[in-house]
Amino acid sequence: MSDLISYLKPLRWLVHLPLAILPFLAAAVIDGPKLGPEIGRRVQAALADAGQGWAKPMVTFRDVEIRGEAPDRAAVERARAAVAGTEGVRHVDMHVGVRSP
């Protein structure tokens, strides 16, 4: 029973916390700079495949911001769906206008 109590001591966990975080930090440093451009290529391809050439994506790590002037509301939704369905995209912000008929 005393072994169980010693494992629950917070100081023991705090001492080993940097070792637990180290693999995640290393992955961010190694793959982080390559992540944005790769997702940017995927997003551009998804928008082209969906026929949404008006949409101008800006990628920051895994977050995408779409700017531009859409021909109609349906085009905005198609662009959002295309980007949101792209592998690696975490969040999509739409900052677009819709042309008046």
Side-chain angles (χ1 to χ4, degrees):
M1 185 69 169
S2 65
D3 288 338
L4 178 63
I5 293 172
S6 68
Y7 279 110
L8 298 177
K9 290 184 180 178
L11 184 58
R12 182 177 215 135
W13 287 99
L14 290 174
V15 168
H16 294 95
L17 187 61
L19 290 175
I21 294 174
L22 190 60
F24 297 104
L25 183 59
V29 169
I30 292 169
D31 288 335
K34 294 185 268 183
L35 189 61
E38 176 60 29
I39 290 177
R41 284 189 288 277
R42 292 179 193 164
V43 165
Q44 287 283 13
L47 288 169
D49 290 347
Q52 303 303 311
W54 60 268
K56 307 298 179 221
M58 297 176 63
V59 179
T60 306
F61 295 108
R62 295 178 54 208
D63 298 335
V64 181
E65 180 180 325
I66 301 294
R67 294 187 175 269
E69 190 171 337
D72 55 32
R73 280 279 190 214
V76 173
E77 184 53 34
R78 286 192 300 271
R80 190 205 61 74
V83 173
T86 303
E87 182 182 353
V89 172
R90 178 179 60 177
H91 182 74
V92 181
D93 280 329
M94 301 297 286
H95 298 279
V96 300
V98 177
R99 292 185 200 129
S100 301

